[in-house]
Amino acid sequence: MSPRSTGAHRLANDDDVLAGLGYQSVLSRRMGPFGNFAISFSVISVLSGCMTLYGFGLNTGGPAVIMWGWVGVGLMVLLLGMSLAEVTSAYPTSGGLYYMAHRLGGPRWAWVTGWLNLLGLLGAIAGIDYGAATFVGAFANLQWGFVPTPEKTMMIFAGILLLHALLNVAGVRLVSVLNSVSVWWHLVGVAVIVGALTLAPAQHRSAEFVFTHFNNGTGIGIGLYVTALGLLLAQYTFCGYDASSHLSEETTQAQISAPRGIVRSIWVSWIAGFVLLAGLTSAIQDYVGTQGSATGVPPAQIFLDVLGAGGAKALMLIVIVAQLFCGNAETAAASRMVFAFSRDGAIPFAATWRRVSPRTKTPVAAVWLSVGAALALAAPSLYSPTAYAAVTAINVIGITPAYAIPVYLRLRAGNRFTPGPWNLGRFSGLIGWTAVTWVVFVTVLFCLPQVAPITATSFNYAGVALIGVLLLAWVLWITKGRRSYQIPSLSGATAHSDFEGVI
């Protein structure tokens, strides 16, 4: 499906478009169309999401759910991404989802959307970088006999967060270059990993095993329920493509580049991830041994069984570097959300977080807040073996509803919505309602128990986190937000939103 242009005026100067939306350009617009695509592709990162939750997938449905779940979830996410891209084309700002919600539904819709989006983005940093820390620990285990205890993993995690903060405060130009390198690193990395596992003289699983073998290690006796839970692997991986929207104020030709970046990042990841998961699953030598790997990372055990220690360490390095690229891109996206939300007075101590470095034109304080919050979110991993799965679920149930709210409000607006130059035309309604329905389903699903019996350590805290952030948003709204939060009027218009509405 190709986007349709709605008029030459939509291709106006980027800063003029931003001014028409009520904001003065203060960030450095040095990211091109490829860089915008690259940041969302890097955040999705099949070498991060697929690898870090692969063990979860083996236990929760097994190969059949891993493979067919990837196909089905990928399709639904592509539809959601296309719908979100259409709204992004009309409102290309760093605020992204909450700004769209405000223009289409009013301040209360925006407030809820913004806090959900913020929770999801911060949960994504925590999930990505903690996953990278587990892979670093697994590599160190193979190389030096390092024992990756929760305390040591947390120290590695903190070090990765520090690295990403320092890279991001250096400026968006460096972030853009790293993201461009990341695209090719991911694509070549997938080809190298799959090629090595395929060509190695080892036993390979049949296509029947790869696409039909079902495994349930959750303790829950309902196969259909376990199958649904297994979709978390794919749904978690397909998160973060709103990065293209959050970086739109730093992108040239943003009304076209940002929506294209969203859609392209999804379908390229969809293909690359399918190839990666198929290659990885077909190379499993010992299913039980892979699940209980001494490295703590099932994919590392597959590399070890097929290629030996030397080959396993080489492939692990490919994955670790990809995960570091991913976490760096997600830190950039989250910090821009913090900056934009603070710019509109929605976060406590907003005057601090909205400051921009006069040298790099980067929101430095917002970067540090983002990595600090991610560290706090992952802290329960010190005492709970299921905390990491909960963090990934927090990412999904925080950010995925936030994706759907602007889409729903756009559908509700109907012909009152003026599309940008990238739009879905007459297919907008069908695609949009399908996407919104899917989001309702997965949001409920990922708040439910993931293992049985349910104990204090196995409890799924994602639903608690979701309720907590909604309560926090409500308290902040009634105590301060309804007085301090305000986005600029459109080109001098007096209304704060295009379509006032209630939640």
Side-chain angles (χ1 to χ4, degrees):
M1 182 178 300
S2 59
R4 304 186 309 173
S5 175
T6 58
H9 67 284
R10 288 292 187 175
L11 302 179
N13 177 273
D14 286 306
D15 290 346
D16 291 341
V17 172
L18 186 61
L21 297 175
Y23 295 112
Q24 178 184 358
S25 180
V26 296
L27 301 176
S28 177
R29 199 178 289 275
R30 303 185 64 182
M31 182 175 288
F34 184 81
N36 187 275
F37 149 75
I39 192 165
S40 282
F41 180 78
S42 297
V43 172
I44 292 175
S45 182
V46 296
L47 286 175
S48 179
C50 292
M51 291 294 193
T52 53
L53 276 185
Y54 190 73
F56 175 88
L58 291 178
N59 192 63
T60 315
V65 177
I66 290 174
M67 297 308 303
W68 292 113
W70 184 265
V71 173
V73 171
L75 175 60
M76 292 295 103
V77 171
L78 181 60
L79 297 180
L80 177 59
M82 292 167 68
S83 296
L84 185 62
E86 180 178 52
V87 188
T88 297
S89 182
Y91 304 112
T93 74
S94 294
L97 310 179
Y98 87 84
Y99 180 90
M100 303 172 197
H102 194 135
R103 291 301 184 199
L104 295 170
R108 281 175 289 183
W109 278 107
W111 188 263
V112 172
T113 303
W115 280 100
L116 286 173
N117 192 196
L118 189 59
L119 172 70
L121 288 168
L122 297 177
I125 298 177
I128 293 163
D129 282 1
Y130 191 86
T134 64
F135 269 73
V136 171
F139 177 84
N141 176 265
L142 293 176
Q143 181 67 30
W144 301 292
F146 174 85
V147 179
T149 64
E151 293 78 12
K152 293 177 181 177
T153 301
M154 185 60 65
M155 291 179 65
I156 297 171
F157 170 59
I160 293 173
L161 288 174
L162 176 62
L163 171 65
H164 287 154
L166 294 174
L167 290 173
N168 271 270
V169 299
V172 73
R173 179 60 179 169
L174 176 60
V175 172
S176 182
V177 170
L178 291 174
N179 289 333
S180 297
V181 174
S182 172
V183 172
W184 301 111
W185 185 275
H186 275 81
L187 295 177
V188 174
V190 168
V192 170
I193 291 172
V194 174
L197 294 178
T198 301
L199 298 176
Q203 174 187 349
H204 291 87
R205 299 284 183 165
S206 65
E208 181 182 5
F209 174 88
V210 172
F211 291 100
T212 66
H213 181 73
F214 181 85
N215 181 68
N216 180 9
T218 65
I220 300 172
I222 306 172
L224 184 60
Y225 179 80
V226 173
T227 298
L229 289 177
L231 300 179
L232 176 59
L233 184 155
Q235 188 66 52
Y236 165 69
T237 303
F238 282 116
C239 277
Y241 44 87
D242 60 315
S244 290
S245 176
H246 292 300
L247 273 292
S248 60
E249 289 186 32
E250 295 157 90
T251 302
T252 57
Q253 299 180 350
Q255 287 190 293
I256 292 291
S257 300
R260 283 180 177 171
I262 291 172
V263 176
R264 286 176 178 173
S265 67
I266 295 171
W267 69 257
V268 173
S269 298
W270 193 16
I271 296 171
F274 182 85
V275 173
L276 175 64
L277 290 171
L280 201 62
T281 305
S282 67
I284 295 175
Q285 304 297 299
D286 178 357
Y287 200 101
V288 175
T290 297
Q291 287 181 290
S293 174
T295 66
V297 178
Q301 190 63 47
I302 295 175
F303 298 160
L304 194 62
D305 291 343
V306 175
L307 301 169
K313 286 184 283 187
L315 296 190
M316 287 289 290
L317 284 176
I318 293 175
V319 174
I320 289 169
V321 173
Q323 292 173 333
L324 294 177
F325 278 131
C326 175
N328 189 61
E330 182 61 37
T331 301
S335 63
R336 271 45 173 196
M337 170 63 193
V338 171
F339 159 76
F341 219 25
S342 299
R343 179 174 60 182
D344 294 330
I347 299 178
F349 310 107
T352 298
W353 315 124
R354 66 180 176 229
R355 292 175 182 168
V356 175
S357 166
R359 182 177 63 87
T360 64
K361 303 297 182 183
T362 298
V364 174
V367 171
W368 289 109
L369 177 61
S370 298
V371 297
L375 181 64
L377 275 176
S381 297
L382 284 170
Y383 62 85
S384 173
T386 60
Y388 179 67
V391 169
T392 58
I394 287 170
N395 171 218
V396 172
I397 67 172
I399 207 167
T400 306
Y403 290 161
I405 292 173
V407 175
Y408 164 72
L409 294 174
R410 180 263 175 272
L411 294 169
R412 191 181 70 168
N415 293 332
R416 293 177 295 161
F417 170 74
T418 302
W422 198 105
N423 62 83
L424 300 173
R426 66 181 184 274
F427 296 102
S428 180
L430 176 62
I431 293 173
W433 284 116
T434 302
V436 169
T437 302
W438 170 254
V439 169
V440 172
F441 167 72
V442 296
T443 301
V444 173
L445 177 65
F446 294 140
C447 290
L448 300 177
Q450 297 178 350
V451 295
I454 300 172
T455 65
T457 56
S458 66
F459 182 74
N460 181 4
Y461 293 94
V464 176
L466 178 60
I467 294 172
V469 77
L470 291 175
L471 286 174
L472 174 64
W474 177 73
V475 170
L476 290 174
W477 173 258
I478 62 175
T479 57
K480 183 180 179 181
R482 56 186 174 187
R483 294 185 297 274
S484 63
Y485 168 68
Q486 181 178 10
I487 69 171
S489 59
L490 284 171
S491 298
T494 57
H496 285 170
S497 64
D498 296 334
F499 311 106
E500 291 294 340
V502 295
I503 296 179

